[in-house]
Amino acid sequence: MAIDFAELAGPGHTALLVMEMQRGVVGDLAKFPELVKSCAERRVVDNAARAAAAARLAGVRVIQCTAAFRPDRAGSHTGNAPFIKALLRDPQHMLEGTGAIEVVPELADPSDIEARRYHGFSPFTGTSLDQTLRSLDVRTVVAIGVSLNLGIPGLCLEAVNLGYRVVVLTDAVAGMPAEYGDAIMANTISLLAARVTTDDLIAAWEGPR
């Protein structure tokens, strides 16, 4: 898919949203082996790191959309979804102040902005992400990270509802099982976002330089 750099990915109007690329989700402290396997097979961490590095060089803001829980769970809805209830059977799951909530080293950079959430599965509701993007005059968001089961579809739907144009990097996202992630990309993400590869977007960002 050809990308019009000026329209879609101009540095002044685009942000790269990195969804839950955290040590406790896809890194050395991860507790989701099937998701880690899917990411490894598709080189998601490598491609996401390449996209983030290219974004910073192009002047595109990188925003780390992270998840965490306080030890006392204050600010989190803990009983309204089966998956959350299952996760929180582990009292140490993604606790604030632990290594599990840190961004994986390949993607971390001091210049990035962090948008942290304490409840739910998507990055806009109950956070300052929308206000942050609007303060940066962002019109297009590029989504990378995990997962295609919940977080990426939620991100795309919320962003579209808020008026943003959305791009998803097809080789920098993953779900579990991998085949289900492919079905989500084909049947849900395709209705909400442009789908391009990491190489496509990097070429667009490097084009005017």
Side-chain angles (χ1 to χ4, degrees), residues 27 38 65 68 75 78 95 109 119 145 154 175-176 184 187 193:
S38 182
C65 301
T78 59
L95 286 188
D109 189 272
H119 68 93
M176 55 183 182
I184 291 294
N187 298 293

Side-chain angles (χ1 to χ4, degrees), residues 14 26 36 40 72 79 125 158 167 170 188 190 201:
T14 301
V26 297
V36 171
D72 63 3
T125 300
E158 286 188 319
V167 178
T170 57
T188 299
S190 65
L201 198 65

Side-chain angles (χ1 to χ4, degrees), residues 15 21 41 60 63 69-70 77 92 96 99 108 110 113 115-116 119 148 156-157 159 165 168 174 176 187 204:
M21 295 298 281
E41 290 174 347
V60 173
I63 300 181
F69 294 96
R70 286 169 49 105
H77 294 280
Q92 300 302 311
E96 193 168 45
I113 297 172
R116 181 174 295 176
H119 68 93
L148 284 167
C156 293
L157 184 59
R165 185 173 178 180
V168 175
M176 55 183 182
N187 298 293

Side-chain angles (χ1 to χ4, degrees), residues 98-176:
T98 68
I101 70 166
E102 295 174 357
V103 175
V104 295
E106 297 93 329
L107 277 156
D109 189 272
S111 67
D112 296 349
I113 297 172
E114 183 175 7
R116 181 174 295 176
R117 76 177 196 280
Y118 292 90
H119 68 93
F121 299 109
S122 51
F124 284 94
T125 300
T127 75
S128 61
L129 179 57
D130 182 39
Q131 290 89 338
T132 297
L133 294 173
R134 294 187 190 282
S135 75
L136 297 169
D137 198 21
V138 169
R139 302 170 192 170
T140 298
V141 295
V142 179
I144 61 176
V146 294
S147 73
L148 284 167
N149 299 72
L150 293 169
I152 297 297
L155 183 160
C156 293
L157 184 59
E158 286 188 319
V160 168
N161 285 346
L162 289 166
Y164 296 99
R165 185 173 178 180
V166 185
V167 178
V168 175
L169 299 194
T170 57
D171 52 0
V173 292
M176 55 183 182

